[in-house]
Amino acid sequence: MQKILEITQYRQKKLQMGRWLAMAIPGAGHVALGRTVGGVIWMLVVLSTVLLAVAVENLFGMSVIFWVALAPILLLQTLSVFSCYRIRKAR
């Protein structure tokens, strides 16, 4: 019984770590929880959106466009965190 309790506590700590990582870096929580392909995809999507926003801002020199481009980045970050929170204790 003690071993089952230890395993459950370990899984809970691992889930919490993955969720905190997802808040810090999009996709990192997925990678930490064993969803490597999904995590890398999240990282690439968010990184490409950030690079696109920076390129648009540098090209046009308008900071308004950059701030408008931040909206999809924040949306992607939020979706990444929520999808990481949906990972259940099944693992």
Side-chain angles (χ1 to χ4, degrees), residues 20-53:
W20 281 103
L21 280 172
M23 285 186 232
I25 302 168
H30 294 79
V31 172
L33 293 174
R35 309 269 171 118
T36 308
V37 174
V40 170
I41 290 172
W42 275 113
M43 286 180 192
L44 291 175
V45 167
V46 172
L47 179 64
S48 62
T49 307
V50 169
L51 292 176
L52 179 64

Side-chain angles (χ1 to χ4, degrees), residues 26 29 55 60:
F60 295 109

Side-chain angles (χ1 to χ4, degrees), residues 54-85:
V54 170
V56 165
E57 195 270 332
N58 286 336
L59 183 63
F60 295 109
M62 296 181 215
S63 61
V64 172
I65 294 175
F66 176 75
W67 290 109
V68 168
L70 276 180
I73 296 168
L74 294 175
L75 177 64
L76 288 171
Q77 170 69 16
T78 304
L79 290 174
S80 173
V81 170
F82 282 141
S83 71
C84 194
Y85 265 85

